[in-house]
mmCIF file of all heavy atoms in Angstrom:
data_model
loop_
_atom_site.group_PDB
_atom_site.id
_atom_site.type_symbol
_atom_site.label_atom_id
_atom_site.label_comp_id
_atom_site.label_asym_id
_atom_site.label_seq_id
_atom_site.Cartn_x
_atom_site.Cartn_y
_atom_site.Cartn_z
ATOM 1 N N GLN A 246 -29.624 62.471 -0.413
ATOM 2 C CA GLN A 246 -30.483 62.349 -1.589
ATOM 3 C C GLN A 246 -29.853 63.038 -2.802
ATOM 4 O O GLN A 246 -29.854 62.491 -3.899
ATOM 5 C CB GLN A 246 -31.873 62.931 -1.313
ATOM 6 C CG GLN A 246 -32.848 62.785 -2.468
ATOM 7 C CD GLN A 246 -33.152 61.331 -2.807
ATOM 8 O OE1 GLN A 246 -33.198 60.471 -1.931
ATOM 9 N NE2 GLN A 246 -33.349 61.050 -4.082
ATOM 10 N N SER A 247 -29.296 64.234 -2.599
ATOM 11 C CA SER A 247 -28.701 64.944 -3.728
ATOM 12 C C SER A 247 -27.425 64.248 -4.209
ATOM 13 O O SER A 247 -27.135 64.237 -5.400
ATOM 14 C CB SER A 247 -28.427 66.412 -3.385
ATOM 15 O OG SER A 247 -27.492 66.521 -2.342
ATOM 16 N N ILE A 248 -26.682 63.634 -3.295
ATOM 17 C CA ILE A 248 -25.488 62.866 -3.686
ATOM 18 C C ILE A 248 -25.911 61.682 -4.535
ATOM 19 O O ILE A 248 -25.334 61.411 -5.591
ATOM 20 C CB ILE A 248 -24.692 62.410 -2.446
ATOM 21 C CG1 ILE A 248 -24.087 63.617 -1.734
ATOM 22 C CG2 ILE A 248 -23.623 61.391 -2.831
ATOM 23 C CD1 ILE A 248 -23.489 63.306 -0.369
ATOM 24 N N LEU A 249 -26.938 60.984 -4.081
ATOM 25 C CA LEU A 249 -27.447 59.820 -4.822
ATOM 26 C C LEU A 249 -27.943 60.235 -6.203
ATOM 27 O O LEU A 249 -27.649 59.571 -7.210
ATOM 28 C CB LEU A 249 -28.561 59.136 -4.031
ATOM 29 C CG LEU A 249 -29.160 57.879 -4.627
ATOM 30 C CD1 LEU A 249 -28.099 56.803 -4.816
ATOM 31 C CD2 LEU A 249 -30.290 57.357 -3.751
ATOM 32 N N GLU A 250 -28.678 61.333 -6.285
ATOM 33 C CA GLU A 250 -29.174 61.815 -7.580
ATOM 34 C C GLU A 250 -28.028 62.200 -8.509
ATOM 35 O O GLU A 250 -28.075 61.917 -9.708
ATOM 36 C CB GLU A 250 -30.122 62.988 -7.371
ATOM 37 C CG GLU A 250 -31.454 62.585 -6.780
ATOM 38 C CD GLU A 250 -32.330 63.770 -6.416
ATOM 39 O OE1 GLU A 250 -32.010 64.911 -6.804
ATOM 40 O OE2 GLU A 250 -33.343 63.555 -5.724
ATOM 41 N N ASP A 251 -26.986 62.810 -7.957
ATOM 42 C CA ASP A 251 -25.824 63.183 -8.762
ATOM 43 C C ASP A 251 -25.154 61.934 -9.346
ATOM 44 O O ASP A 251 -24.848 61.886 -10.537
ATOM 45 C CB ASP A 251 -24.825 63.971 -7.910
ATOM 46 C CG ASP A 251 -23.591 64.352 -8.689
ATOM 47 O OD1 ASP A 251 -23.676 65.302 -9.503
ATOM 48 O OD2 ASP A 251 -22.540 63.698 -8.511
ATOM 49 N N ILE A 252 -24.931 60.946 -8.508
ATOM 50 C CA ILE A 252 -24.278 59.717 -8.973
ATOM 51 C C ILE A 252 -25.156 58.983 -9.986
ATOM 52 O O ILE A 252 -24.665 58.509 -11.012
ATOM 53 C CB ILE A 252 -23.892 58.823 -7.778
ATOM 54 C CG1 ILE A 252 -22.785 59.516 -6.975
ATOM 55 C CG2 ILE A 252 -23.460 57.440 -8.243
ATOM 56 C CD1 ILE A 252 -22.442 58.852 -5.670
ATOM 57 N N LYS A 253 -26.454 58.922 -9.730
ATOM 58 C CA LYS A 253 -27.369 58.284 -10.697
ATOM 59 C C LYS A 253 -27.325 59.018 -12.038
ATOM 60 O O LYS A 253 -27.349 58.396 -13.094
ATOM 61 C CB LYS A 253 -28.806 58.275 -10.161
ATOM 62 C CG LYS A 253 -29.070 57.208 -9.136
ATOM 63 C CD LYS A 253 -30.542 57.247 -8.725
ATOM 64 C CE LYS A 253 -30.873 56.191 -7.717
ATOM 65 N NZ LYS A 253 -32.295 56.229 -7.315
ATOM 66 N N GLY A 254 -27.255 60.336 -12.001
ATOM 67 C CA GLY A 254 -27.169 61.118 -13.235
ATOM 68 C C GLY A 254 -25.902 60.800 -14.011
ATOM 69 O O GLY A 254 -25.927 60.660 -15.242
ATOM 70 N N ARG A 255 -24.785 60.664 -13.300
ATOM 71 C CA ARG A 255 -23.522 60.316 -13.959
ATOM 72 C C ARG A 255 -23.605 58.928 -14.589
ATOM 73 O O ARG A 255 -23.145 58.723 -15.717
ATOM 74 C CB ARG A 255 -22.364 60.369 -12.964
ATOM 75 C CG ARG A 255 -22.077 61.756 -12.442
ATOM 76 C CD ARG A 255 -20.991 61.706 -11.399
ATOM 77 N NE ARG A 255 -20.936 62.945 -10.637
ATOM 78 C CZ ARG A 255 -19.816 63.469 -10.190
ATOM 79 N NH1 ARG A 255 -18.660 62.889 -10.429
ATOM 80 N NH2 ARG A 255 -19.832 64.585 -9.495
ATOM 81 N N VAL A 256 -24.179 57.979 -13.862
ATOM 82 C CA VAL A 256 -24.332 56.613 -14.389
ATOM 83 C C VAL A 256 -25.229 56.634 -15.622
ATOM 84 O O VAL A 256 -24.922 56.003 -16.643
ATOM 85 C CB VAL A 256 -24.883 55.652 -13.316
ATOM 86 C CG1 VAL A 256 -25.292 54.314 -13.922
ATOM 87 C CG2 VAL A 256 -23.865 55.457 -12.196
ATOM 88 N N ASN A 257 -26.321 57.366 -15.566
ATOM 89 C CA ASN A 257 -27.228 57.452 -16.714
ATOM 90 C C ASN A 257 -26.547 58.073 -17.932
ATOM 91 O O ASN A 257 -26.788 57.644 -19.065
ATOM 92 C CB ASN A 257 -28.491 58.225 -16.343
ATOM 93 C CG ASN A 257 -29.425 57.412 -15.478
ATOM 94 O OD1 ASN A 257 -29.430 56.185 -15.533
ATOM 95 N ND2 ASN A 257 -30.206 58.081 -14.651
ATOM 96 N N ASN A 258 -25.689 59.065 -17.725
ATOM 97 C CA ASN A 258 -24.945 59.652 -18.845
ATOM 98 C C ASN A 258 -24.048 58.614 -19.505
ATOM 99 O O ASN A 258 -23.971 58.536 -20.733
ATOM 100 C CB ASN A 258 -24.096 60.837 -18.367
ATOM 101 C CG ASN A 258 -24.927 62.052 -18.039
ATOM 102 O OD1 ASN A 258 -26.074 62.173 -18.458
ATOM 103 N ND2 ASN A 258 -24.348 62.951 -17.268
ATOM 104 N N VAL A 259 -23.364 57.814 -18.697
ATOM 105 C CA VAL A 259 -22.489 56.773 -19.240
ATOM 106 C C VAL A 259 -23.319 55.728 -19.984
ATOM 107 O O VAL A 259 -22.941 55.280 -21.072
ATOM 108 C CB VAL A 259 -21.651 56.128 -18.118
ATOM 109 C CG1 VAL A 259 -20.924 54.888 -18.621
ATOM 110 C CG2 VAL A 259 -20.664 57.132 -17.552
ATOM 111 N N LEU A 260 -24.453 55.340 -19.424
ATOM 112 C CA LEU A 260 -25.309 54.352 -20.082
ATOM 113 C C LEU A 260 -25.835 54.870 -21.418
ATOM 114 O O LEU A 260 -25.881 54.125 -22.406
ATOM 115 C CB LEU A 260 -26.477 53.959 -19.174
ATOM 116 C CG LEU A 260 -26.108 53.116 -17.962
ATOM 117 C CD1 LEU A 260 -27.322 52.919 -17.060
ATOM 118 C CD2 LEU A 260 -25.516 51.789 -18.378
ATOM 119 N N ARG A 261 -26.208 56.155 -21.476
ATOM 120 C CA ARG A 261 -26.659 56.747 -22.744
ATOM 121 C C ARG A 261 -25.545 56.709 -23.781
ATOM 122 O O ARG A 261 -25.762 56.374 -24.947
ATOM 123 C CB ARG A 261 -27.125 58.186 -22.523
ATOM 124 C CG ARG A 261 -28.610 58.334 -22.363
ATOM 125 C CD ARG A 261 -29.078 59.787 -22.467
ATOM 126 N NE ARG A 261 -28.319 60.728 -21.664
ATOM 127 C CZ ARG A 261 -28.526 60.957 -20.369
ATOM 128 N NH1 ARG A 261 -29.470 60.296 -19.735
ATOM 129 N NH2 ARG A 261 -27.794 61.836 -19.720
ATOM 130 N N GLU A 262 -24.336 57.056 -23.344
ATOM 131 C CA GLU A 262 -23.191 57.037 -24.249
ATOM 132 C C GLU A 262 -22.934 55.614 -24.749
ATOM 133 O O GLU A 262 -22.678 55.402 -25.934
ATOM 134 C CB GLU A 262 -21.959 57.564 -23.528
ATOM 135 C CG GLU A 262 -20.722 57.627 -24.387
ATOM 136 C CD GLU A 262 -19.521 58.167 -23.630
ATOM 137 O OE1 GLU A 262 -19.690 58.985 -22.711
ATOM 138 O OE2 GLU A 262 -18.407 57.758 -23.979
ATOM 139 N N TYR A 263 -23.022 54.643 -23.858
ATOM 140 C CA TYR A 263 -22.821 53.244 -24.245
ATOM 141 C C TYR A 263 -23.884 52.799 -25.252
ATOM 142 O O TYR A 263 -23.569 52.192 -26.272
ATOM 143 C CB TYR A 263 -22.841 52.328 -23.016
ATOM 144 C CG TYR A 263 -22.829 50.872 -23.383
ATOM 145 C CD1 TYR A 263 -21.651 50.265 -23.823
ATOM 146 C CD2 TYR A 263 -23.984 50.110 -23.325
ATOM 147 C CE1 TYR A 263 -21.634 48.936 -24.182
ATOM 148 C CE2 TYR A 263 -23.970 48.777 -23.687
ATOM 149 C CZ TYR A 263 -22.794 48.193 -24.110
ATOM 150 O OH TYR A 263 -22.795 46.876 -24.480
ATOM 151 N N LYS A 264 -25.144 53.114 -24.963
ATOM 152 C CA LYS A 264 -26.230 52.713 -25.860
ATOM 153 C C LYS A 264 -26.060 53.347 -27.240
ATOM 154 O O LYS A 264 -26.298 52.699 -28.262
ATOM 155 C CB LYS A 264 -27.586 53.092 -25.258
ATOM 156 C CG LYS A 264 -27.978 52.228 -24.090
ATOM 157 C CD LYS A 264 -29.293 52.699 -23.480
ATOM 158 C CE LYS A 264 -29.654 51.885 -22.266
ATOM 159 N NZ LYS A 264 -30.901 52.342 -21.642
ATOM 160 N N THR A 265 -25.635 54.604 -27.270
ATOM 161 C CA THR A 265 -25.419 55.278 -28.548
ATOM 162 C C THR A 265 -24.289 54.619 -29.324
ATOM 163 O O THR A 265 -24.429 54.325 -30.510
ATOM 164 C CB THR A 265 -25.095 56.771 -28.331
ATOM 165 O OG1 THR A 265 -26.195 57.381 -27.656
ATOM 166 C CG2 THR A 265 -24.836 57.479 -29.645
ATOM 167 N N SER A 266 -23.176 54.346 -28.647
ATOM 168 C CA SER A 266 -22.052 53.726 -29.351
ATOM 169 C C SER A 266 -22.399 52.312 -29.784
ATOM 170 O O SER A 266 -21.987 51.872 -30.859
ATOM 171 C CB SER A 266 -20.788 53.736 -28.487
ATOM 172 O OG SER A 266 -20.956 52.955 -27.337
ATOM 173 N N LYS A 267 -23.173 51.606 -28.995
ATOM 174 C CA LYS A 267 -23.602 50.246 -29.364
ATOM 175 C C LYS A 267 -24.498 50.295 -30.598
ATOM 176 O O LYS A 267 -24.375 49.465 -31.502
ATOM 177 C CB LYS A 267 -24.334 49.603 -28.188
ATOM 178 C CG LYS A 267 -24.595 48.154 -28.343
ATOM 179 C CD LYS A 267 -23.318 47.381 -28.199
ATOM 180 C CE LYS A 267 -23.628 45.903 -28.197
ATOM 181 N NZ LYS A 267 -22.464 45.104 -28.541
ATOM 182 N N ALA A 268 -25.380 51.272 -30.664
ATOM 183 C CA ALA A 268 -26.283 51.401 -31.806
ATOM 184 C C ALA A 268 -25.520 51.752 -33.081
ATOM 185 O O ALA A 268 -25.936 51.392 -34.182
ATOM 186 C CB ALA A 268 -27.340 52.462 -31.530
ATOM 187 N N LEU A 269 -24.390 52.436 -32.938
ATOM 188 C CA LEU A 269 -23.606 52.845 -34.094
ATOM 189 C C LEU A 269 -22.540 51.837 -34.495
ATOM 190 O O LEU A 269 -21.898 51.991 -35.534
ATOM 191 C CB LEU A 269 -22.951 54.197 -33.831
ATOM 192 C CG LEU A 269 -23.915 55.364 -33.622
ATOM 193 C CD1 LEU A 269 -23.143 56.595 -33.167
ATOM 194 C CD2 LEU A 269 -24.701 55.646 -34.865
ATOM 195 N N SER A 270 -22.322 50.801 -33.669
ATOM 196 C CA SER A 270 -21.269 49.826 -33.972
ATOM 197 C C SER A 270 -21.604 49.118 -35.295
ATOM 198 O O SER A 270 -22.755 48.859 -35.621
ATOM 199 C CB SER A 270 -21.096 48.819 -32.850
ATOM 200 O OG SER A 270 -22.221 47.986 -32.748
ATOM 201 N N GLY A 271 -20.580 48.837 -36.038
ATOM 202 C CA GLY A 271 -20.765 48.192 -37.327
ATOM 203 C C GLY A 271 -20.946 49.169 -38.464
ATOM 204 O O GLY A 271 -20.936 48.778 -39.628
ATOM 205 N N ASN A 272 -21.095 50.451 -38.168
ATOM 206 C CA ASN A 272 -21.227 51.479 -39.201
ATOM 207 C C ASN A 272 -19.838 51.704 -39.796
ATOM 208 O O ASN A 272 -18.894 52.015 -39.087
ATOM 209 C CB ASN A 272 -21.775 52.771 -38.597
ATOM 210 C CG ASN A 272 -22.059 53.823 -39.630
ATOM 211 O OD1 ASN A 272 -21.309 53.991 -40.590
ATOM 212 N ND2 ASN A 272 -23.148 54.535 -39.437
ATOM 213 N N THR A 273 -19.717 51.545 -41.086
ATOM 214 C CA THR A 273 -18.400 51.649 -41.747
ATOM 215 C C THR A 273 -17.820 53.060 -41.698
ATOM 216 O O THR A 273 -16.632 53.229 -41.941
ATOM 217 C CB THR A 273 -18.502 51.199 -43.222
ATOM 218 O OG1 THR A 273 -19.490 51.999 -43.875
ATOM 219 C CG2 THR A 273 -18.878 49.752 -43.320
#
């Protein structure tokens, strides 16, 4: 369970980073 939670946390961090960069794309 703790391994799964750790991996899910890492995936969520990457997804947050992706969403942030996607929201900022096109900014001059």
Side-chain angles (χ1 to χ4, degrees):
Q246 183 63 34
S247 63
I248 293 170
L249 182 60
E250 288 173 11
D251 179 76
I252 292 172
K253 282 183 179 180
R255 294 176 195 215
V256 169
N257 285 333
N258 287 342
V259 170
L260 289 174
R261 263 193 312 277
E262 182 180 330
Y263 172 76
K264 288 177 183 179
T265 300
S266 64
K267 191 72 173 159
L269 297 172
S270 68
N272 186 321
T273 57

